[in-house]
Amino acid sequence: MDDAVTVIVARYTEDVSWVERLGYNSVVYDKSDAPAENARQLENIGREAHTYFTHIVNEYETLSPMNVFVQGDPFDHLDDRGRTDVDGLRKQLVDVVDRALPFKGLAWFKLKCDRLGRPHDLRKLENKGRWAGWGRDIPVGAVFEELFHVPMPEQLIVRAPTGNFCVSGDRIRTRPISFYQHCLHLVEQDPFDEYNTGHAFERLWQHIFNGNTAWNSGYPVSS
């Protein structure tokens, strides 16, 4: 098993038996009433962003050289045919490690959006009632500016639009732990995603991990 890689899984009720087949160390965070074996239980709030920031804050000093953040069933986002392709995911991860990439989105597509997350599908009638923020825009601009204290560009290219990505431990630590504590606080302030804060983070992962230390202003560094 490759100790240089840890797969961090945000599970609700999905079958996560595929994780073991990847052949990497893994941590499953579970928000269901019937947690998977050996999973770490979390309160069911804040979408996968809550899970990811919880892991980063708790493991900040001991993060793996490469950290793979994925949802409990990521495969319809990783493959345009929706296949459960564990071998394909493993090949992507091997490539990321071999090339020492500091960040890579794993979705098969990219998005372009404005400060309200448009275009988006949060008003689809078939999704009505699935979460409290249905029908609202996504506060991408507001969250961007709250995090980085600079104006958001007119549009963003979103390179990890589904919340499935790889990021190195070194790249994570280009921002102080206080930054991630603030991120965690923001999601906890919108626990049921009434204002789509969790959706906003889905549009911002590549900026959170872009290594631009000039955006760290205002975040204290622990001694």
CSV table of all heavy atoms in Angstrom, one decimal, residues 142-182:
chain,number,residue,atom,x,y,z
A,142,ALA,N,-19.4,36.0,-3.1
A,142,ALA,CA,-19.4,36.4,-1.7
A,142,ALA,C,-18.4,35.5,-0.9
A,142,ALA,O,-17.7,36.0,0.0
A,142,ALA,CB,-20.8,36.3,-1.1
A,143,VAL,N,-18.4,34.2,-1.1
A,143,VAL,CA,-17.5,33.3,-0.4
A,143,VAL,C,-16.1,33.6,-0.8
A,143,VAL,O,-15.2,33.6,0.0
A,143,VAL,CB,-17.9,31.9,-0.6
A,143,VAL,CG1,-16.9,30.9,0.0
A,143,VAL,CG2,-19.3,31.6,0.0
A,144,PHE,N,-15.8,33.8,-2.1
A,144,PHE,CA,-14.5,34.1,-2.6
A,144,PHE,C,-13.9,35.3,-1.9
A,144,PHE,O,-12.8,35.2,-1.4
A,144,PHE,CB,-14.6,34.3,-4.1
A,144,PHE,CG,-13.2,34.6,-4.8
A,144,PHE,CD1,-12.6,33.6,-5.5
A,144,PHE,CD2,-12.6,35.8,-4.7
A,144,PHE,CE1,-11.4,33.8,-6.1
A,144,PHE,CE2,-11.4,36.1,-5.4
A,144,PHE,CZ,-10.8,35.1,-6.1
A,145,GLU,N,-14.7,36.3,-1.8
A,145,GLU,CA,-14.2,37.6,-1.3
A,145,GLU,C,-14.1,37.5,0.3
A,145,GLU,O,-13.2,38.1,0.9
A,145,GLU,CB,-15.1,38.7,-1.7
A,145,GLU,CG,-14.9,39.0,-3.2
A,145,GLU,CD,-16.0,39.9,-3.8
A,145,GLU,OE1,-16.8,40.4,-3.0
A,145,GLU,OE2,-16.0,40.1,-5.0
A,146,GLU,N,-14.9,36.7,0.9
A,146,GLU,CA,-14.8,36.5,2.3
A,146,GLU,C,-13.5,35.7,2.7
A,146,GLU,O,-12.8,36.0,3.7
A,146,GLU,CB,-16.0,35.7,2.8
A,146,GLU,CG,-15.9,35.2,4.2
A,146,GLU,CD,-16.0,36.3,5.3
A,146,GLU,OE1,-16.5,37.4,5.0
A,146,GLU,OE2,-15.5,36.0,6.4
A,147,LEU,N,-13.1,34.8,1.8
A,147,LEU,CA,-12.0,34.0,2.0
A,147,LEU,C,-10.7,34.7,1.7
A,147,LEU,O,-9.7,34.6,2.5
A,147,LEU,CB,-12.0,32.7,1.2
A,147,LEU,CG,-13.1,31.7,1.5
A,147,LEU,CD1,-13.0,30.5,0.5
A,147,LEU,CD2,-13.0,31.2,2.9
A,148,PHE,N,-10.6,35.4,0.6
A,148,PHE,CA,-9.4,35.9,0.1
A,148,PHE,C,-9.2,37.4,0.2
A,148,PHE,O,-8.1,37.9,-0.1
A,148,PHE,CB,-9.2,35.5,-1.4
A,148,PHE,CG,-9.3,34.0,-1.6
A,148,PHE,CD1,-10.3,33.4,-2.5
A,148,PHE,CD2,-8.5,33.1,-0.9
A,148,PHE,CE1,-10.4,32.1,-2.7
A,148,PHE,CE2,-8.7,31.7,-1.1
A,148,PHE,CZ,-9.6,31.2,-2.0
A,149,HIS,N,-10.2,38.1,0.5
A,149,HIS,CA,-10.1,39.6,0.7
A,149,HIS,C,-9.7,40.3,-0.5
A,149,HIS,O,-9.0,41.4,-0.4
A,149,HIS,CB,-9.2,39.9,1.9
A,149,HIS,CG,-9.5,39.0,3.1
A,149,HIS,ND1,-8.5,38.4,3.8
A,149,HIS,CD2,-10.7,38.7,3.8
A,149,HIS,CE1,-9.1,37.7,4.8
A,149,HIS,NE2,-10.4,37.9,4.8
A,150,VAL,N,-10.0,39.8,-1.7
A,150,VAL,CA,-9.8,40.5,-2.9
A,150,VAL,C,-11.0,40.3,-3.8
A,150,VAL,O,-11.8,39.4,-3.6
A,150,VAL,CB,-8.6,39.9,-3.7
A,150,VAL,CG1,-7.3,40.1,-2.9
A,150,VAL,CG2,-8.8,38.4,-4.0
A,151,PRO,N,-11.3,41.2,-4.7
A,151,PRO,CA,-12.5,41.1,-5.6
A,151,PRO,C,-12.4,39.8,-6.4
A,151,PRO,O,-11.3,39.4,-6.9
A,151,PRO,CB,-12.4,42.3,-6.5
A,151,PRO,CG,-11.5,43.3,-5.8
A,151,PRO,CD,-10.5,42.4,-5.0
A,152,MET,N,-13.5,39.2,-6.6
A,152,MET,CA,-13.6,38.0,-7.5
A,152,MET,C,-13.6,38.5,-8.9
A,152,MET,O,-14.2,39.5,-9.3
A,152,MET,CB,-14.9,37.2,-7.2
A,152,MET,CG,-14.9,35.9,-8.1
A,152,MET,SD,-16.5,35.1,-7.9
A,152,MET,CE,-16.9,34.8,-9.7
A,153,PRO,N,-12.8,37.8,-9.8
A,153,PRO,CA,-12.9,38.1,-11.3
A,153,PRO,C,-14.3,38.0,-11.8
A,153,PRO,O,-15.2,37.4,-11.2
A,153,PRO,CB,-12.0,37.0,-11.9
A,153,PRO,CG,-11.1,36.5,-10.8
A,153,PRO,CD,-11.9,36.6,-9.5
A,154,GLU,N,-14.5,38.5,-13.0
A,154,GLU,CA,-15.9,38.5,-13.5
A,154,GLU,C,-16.4,37.1,-13.7
A,154,GLU,O,-17.5,36.8,-13.6
A,154,GLU,CB,-15.8,39.2,-14.9
A,154,GLU,CG,-17.2,39.3,-15.5
A,154,GLU,CD,-17.1,40.1,-16.8
A,154,GLU,OE1,-16.2,41.0,-17.0
A,154,GLU,OE2,-18.0,39.9,-17.7
A,155,GLN,N,-15.4,36.2,-14.1
A,155,GLN,CA,-15.8,34.8,-14.2
A,155,GLN,C,-14.7,33.9,-13.7
A,155,GLN,O,-13.5,34.3,-13.6
A,155,GLN,CB,-16.0,34.4,-15.7
A,155,GLN,CG,-17.3,34.9,-16.3
A,155,GLN,CD,-17.6,34.3,-17.6
A,155,GLN,OE1,-16.7,34.2,-18.5
A,155,GLN,NE2,-18.9,34.0,-17.9
A,156,LEU,N,-15.0,32.7,-13.3
A,156,LEU,CA,-14.1,31.7,-12.8
A,156,LEU,C,-14.1,30.5,-13.7
A,156,LEU,O,-15.2,30.1,-14.1
A,156,LEU,CB,-14.4,31.3,-11.4
A,156,LEU,CG,-14.2,32.3,-10.3
A,156,LEU,CD1,-14.6,31.6,-8.9
A,156,LEU,CD2,-12.9,32.9,-10.2
A,157,ILE,N,-12.9,29.9,-14.0
A,157,ILE,CA,-12.9,28.6,-14.5
A,157,ILE,C,-12.8,27.6,-13.4
A,157,ILE,O,-12.0,27.7,-12.5
A,157,ILE,CB,-11.6,28.4,-15.4
A,157,ILE,CG1,-11.6,29.4,-16.5
A,157,ILE,CG2,-11.6,27.0,-16.0
A,157,ILE,CD1,-12.8,29.3,-17.5
A,158,VAL,N,-13.8,26.7,-13.3
A,158,VAL,CA,-13.9,25.7,-12.2
A,158,VAL,C,-13.3,24.4,-12.6
A,158,VAL,O,-13.9,23.7,-13.5
A,158,VAL,CB,-15.4,25.6,-11.8
A,158,VAL,CG1,-15.5,24.6,-10.6
A,158,VAL,CG2,-16.0,27.0,-11.5
A,159,ARG,N,-12.2,24.0,-12.0
A,159,ARG,CA,-11.5,22.8,-12.4
A,159,ARG,C,-11.8,21.6,-11.5
A,159,ARG,O,-11.3,20.5,-11.8
A,159,ARG,CB,-10.0,23.1,-12.4
A,159,ARG,CG,-9.6,24.3,-13.3
A,159,ARG,CD,-8.1,24.5,-13.5
A,159,ARG,NE,-7.9,25.7,-14.3
A,159,ARG,CZ,-7.9,25.8,-15.6
A,159,ARG,NH1,-8.3,24.7,-16.3
A,159,ARG,NH2,-7.7,26.9,-16.2
A,160,ALA,N,-12.5,21.8,-10.5
A,160,ALA,CA,-12.9,20.6,-9.6
A,160,ALA,C,-14.4,20.8,-9.3
A,160,ALA,O,-14.7,20.9,-8.1
A,160,ALA,CB,-12.1,20.5,-8.4
A,161,PRO,N,-15.3,20.9,-10.3
A,161,PRO,CA,-16.7,21.3,-10.0
A,161,PRO,C,-17.5,20.4,-9.2
A,161,PRO,O,-18.6,20.8,-8.7
A,161,PRO,CB,-17.2,21.5,-11.5
A,161,PRO,CG,-16.4,20.5,-12.3
A,161,PRO,CD,-15.1,20.6,-11.7
A,162,THR,N,-17.1,19.2,-9.0
A,162,THR,CA,-17.9,18.2,-8.3
A,162,THR,C,-17.4,17.9,-6.9
A,162,THR,O,-17.9,17.0,-6.2
A,162,THR,CB,-18.0,16.9,-9.1
A,162,THR,OG1,-16.8,16.3,-9.2
A,162,THR,CG2,-18.6,17.2,-10.5
A,163,GLY,N,-16.3,18.5,-6.5
A,163,GLY,CA,-15.8,18.2,-5.2
A,163,GLY,C,-15.0,16.9,-5.1
A,163,GLY,O,-15.0,16.3,-4.0
A,164,ASN,N,-14.4,16.6,-6.2
A,164,ASN,CA,-13.5,15.4,-6.3
A,164,ASN,C,-12.2,15.8,-6.8
A,164,ASN,O,-12.1,16.3,-8.0
A,164,ASN,CB,-14.1,14.3,-7.1
A,164,ASN,CG,-15.5,13.8,-6.6
A,164,ASN,OD1,-15.5,13.1,-5.6
A,164,ASN,ND2,-16.5,14.2,-7.2
A,165,PHE,N,-11.1,15.7,-6.0
A,165,PHE,CA,-9.8,16.3,-6.5
A,165,PHE,C,-8.7,15.7,-5.6
A,165,PHE,O,-8.9,15.1,-4.6
A,165,PHE,CB,-9.9,17.8,-6.3
A,165,PHE,CG,-10.2,18.3,-4.9
A,165,PHE,CD1,-9.2,18.5,-4.0
A,165,PHE,CD2,-11.5,18.6,-4.6
A,165,PHE,CE1,-9.5,18.9,-2.7
A,165,PHE,CE2,-11.8,19.0,-3.3
A,165,PHE,CZ,-10.8,19.2,-2.3
A,166,CYS,N,-7.5,16.0,-6.1
A,166,CYS,CA,-6.2,15.6,-5.4
A,166,CYS,C,-5.5,16.9,-5.1
A,166,CYS,O,-5.4,17.8,-5.9
A,166,CYS,CB,-5.3,14.7,-6.3
A,166,CYS,SG,-6.1,13.3,-7.0
A,167,VAL,N,-4.9,16.9,-3.9
A,167,VAL,CA,-4.0,18.1,-3.6
A,167,VAL,C,-2.9,17.6,-2.6
A,167,VAL,O,-3.1,16.7,-1.8
A,167,VAL,CB,-4.9,19.2,-2.9
A,167,VAL,CG1,-5.6,18.7,-1.7
A,167,VAL,CG2,-4.0,20.4,-2.6
A,168,SER,N,-1.7,18.1,-2.9
A,168,SER,CA,-0.6,17.7,-2.1
A,168,SER,C,-0.7,18.3,-0.7
A,168,SER,O,-1.2,19.4,-0.5
A,168,SER,CB,0.7,18.0,-2.7
A,168,SER,OG,0.9,19.4,-2.7
A,169,GLY,N,-0.1,17.6,0.3
A,169,GLY,CA,0.0,18.2,1.6
A,169,GLY,C,0.7,19.5,1.7
A,169,GLY,O,0.4,20.4,2.4
A,170,ASP,N,1.8,19.6,0.9
A,170,ASP,CA,2.6,20.8,0.9
A,170,ASP,C,1.7,22.0,0.3
A,170,ASP,O,1.8,23.1,0.8
A,170,ASP,CB,3.8,20.6,0.0
A,170,ASP,CG,4.9,19.8,0.7
A,170,ASP,OD1,4.8,19.7,1.9
A,170,ASP,OD2,5.8,19.4,0.0
A,171,ARG,N,0.9,21.7,-0.7
A,171,ARG,CA,0.1,22.8,-1.3
A,171,ARG,C,-1.0,23.2,-0.3
A,171,ARG,O,-1.3,24.4,-0.1
A,171,ARG,CB,-0.5,22.3,-2.6
A,171,ARG,CG,-1.5,23.3,-3.2
A,171,ARG,CD,-0.8,24.7,-3.5
A,171,ARG,NE,0.2,24.6,-4.4
A,171,ARG,CZ,0.1,24.7,-5.8
A,171,ARG,NH1,-1.2,24.8,-6.3
A,171,ARG,NH2,1.1,24.8,-6.6
A,172,ILE,N,-1.6,22.2,0.4
A,172,ILE,CA,-2.5,22.6,1.5
A,172,ILE,C,-1.9,23.5,2.5
A,172,ILE,O,-2.5,24.5,2.9
A,172,ILE,CB,-3.1,21.3,2.2
A,172,ILE,CG1,-3.9,20.5,1.2
A,172,ILE,CG2,-3.9,21.7,3.4
A,172,ILE,CD1,-4.4,19.2,1.7
A,173,ARG,N,-0.7,23.2,2.9
A,173,ARG,CA,0.0,24.0,3.9
A,173,ARG,C,0.6,25.3,3.5
A,173,ARG,O,1.2,26.0,4.2
A,173,ARG,CB,1.0,23.1,4.6
A,173,ARG,CG,0.4,22.1,5.6
A,173,ARG,CD,1.5,21.4,6.4
A,173,ARG,NE,2.3,20.5,5.6
A,173,ARG,CZ,2.0,19.2,5.4
A,173,ARG,NH1,1.0,18.6,6.1
A,173,ARG,NH2,2.8,18.5,4.6
A,174,THR,N,0.3,25.7,2.2
A,174,THR,CA,0.7,27.0,1.8
A,174,THR,C,-0.3,28.1,2.4
A,174,THR,O,0.0,29.2,2.4
A,174,THR,CB,0.7,27.2,0.2
A,174,THR,OG1,-0.6,26.9,-0.3
A,174,THR,CG2,1.7,26.3,-0.4
A,175,ARG,N,-1.4,27.6,2.9
A,175,ARG,CA,-2.3,28.4,3.7
A,175,ARG,C,-2.2,27.9,5.2
A,175,ARG,O,-2.2,26.7,5.4
A,175,ARG,CB,-3.7,28.4,3.2
A,175,ARG,CG,-3.8,28.8,1.7
A,175,ARG,CD,-5.2,29.3,1.4
A,175,ARG,NE,-5.3,29.5,-0.1
A,175,ARG,CZ,-4.8,30.5,-0.8
A,175,ARG,NH1,-4.1,31.4,-0.1
A,175,ARG,NH2,-5.0,30.5,-2.1
A,176,PRO,N,-2.3,28.9,6.1
A,176,PRO,CA,-2.3,28.5,7.5
A,176,PRO,C,-3.5,27.8,8.0
A,176,PRO,O,-4.6,27.9,7.3
A,176,PRO,CB,-2.1,29.8,8.3
A,176,PRO,CG,-2.7,30.8,7.3
A,176,PRO,CD,-2.4,30.4,5.9
A,177,ILE,N,-3.4,27.0,9.0
A,177,ILE,CA,-4.6,26.3,9.5
A,177,ILE,C,-5.7,27.2,9.9
A,177,ILE,O,-6.9,26.8,9.7
A,177,ILE,CB,-4.2,25.4,10.7
A,177,ILE,CG1,-5.3,24.4,11.1
A,177,ILE,CG2,-3.8,26.3,11.9
A,177,ILE,CD1,-4.9,23.4,12.1
A,178,SER,N,-5.4,28.5,10.3
A,178,SER,CA,-6.5,29.4,10.6
A,178,SER,C,-7.4,29.7,9.4
A,178,SER,O,-8.6,30.0,9.5
A,178,SER,CB,-5.9,30.7,11.1
A,178,SER,OG,-5.0,31.3,10.2
A,179,PHE,N,-6.8,29.6,8.2
A,179,PHE,CA,-7.6,29.8,6.9
A,179,PHE,C,-8.7,28.7,6.9
A,179,PHE,O,-9.9,28.9,6.6
A,179,PHE,CB,-6.7,29.8,5.7
A,179,PHE,CG,-7.5,29.7,4.4
A,179,PHE,CD1,-8.0,30.8,3.8
A,179,PHE,CD2,-7.7,28.5,3.8
A,179,PHE,CE1,-8.7,30.8,2.6
A,179,PHE,CE2,-8.4,28.4,2.6
A,179,PHE,CZ,-8.9,29.6,2.0
A,180,TYR,N,-8.2,27.4,7.1
A,180,TYR,CA,-9.2,26.3,7.0
A,180,TYR,C,-10.2,26.3,8.1
A,180,TYR,O,-11.3,25.8,7.9
A,180,TYR,CB,-8.4,25.0,6.9
A,180,TYR,CG,-7.5,24.9,5.7
A,180,TYR,CD1,-6.1,25.1,5.8
A,180,TYR,CD2,-8.0,24.8,4.4
A,180,TYR,CE1,-5.3,25.1,4.7
A,180,TYR,CE2,-7.2,24.8,3.3
A,180,TYR,CZ,-5.8,25.0,3.4
A,180,TYR,OH,-5.0,25.0,2.3
A,181,GLN,N,-9.8,26.7,9.3
A,181,GLN,CA,-10.7,26.9,10.4
A,181,GLN,C,-11.8,27.9,10.0
A,181,GLN,O,-13.0,27.7,10.4
A,181,GLN,CB,-10.0,27.3,11.6
A,181,GLN,CG,-9.1,26.2,12.2
A,181,GLN,CD,-8.1,26.7,13.3
A,181,GLN,OE1,-7.7,27.9,13.3
A,181,GLN,NE2,-7.7,25.8,14.2
A,182,HIS,N,-11.4,28.9,9.3
A,182,HIS,CA,-12.4,29.9,8.9
A,182,HIS,C,-13.4,29.3,7.8
A,182,HIS,O,-14.6,29.5,7.9
A,182,HIS,CB,-11.7,31.1,8.3
A,182,HIS,CG,-12.7,32.2,7.9
A,182,HIS,ND1,-13.6,32.8,8.8
A,182,HIS,CD2,-12.9,32.9,6.7
A,182,HIS,CE1,-14.3,33.7,8.1
A,182,HIS,NE2,-13.9,33.8,6.9
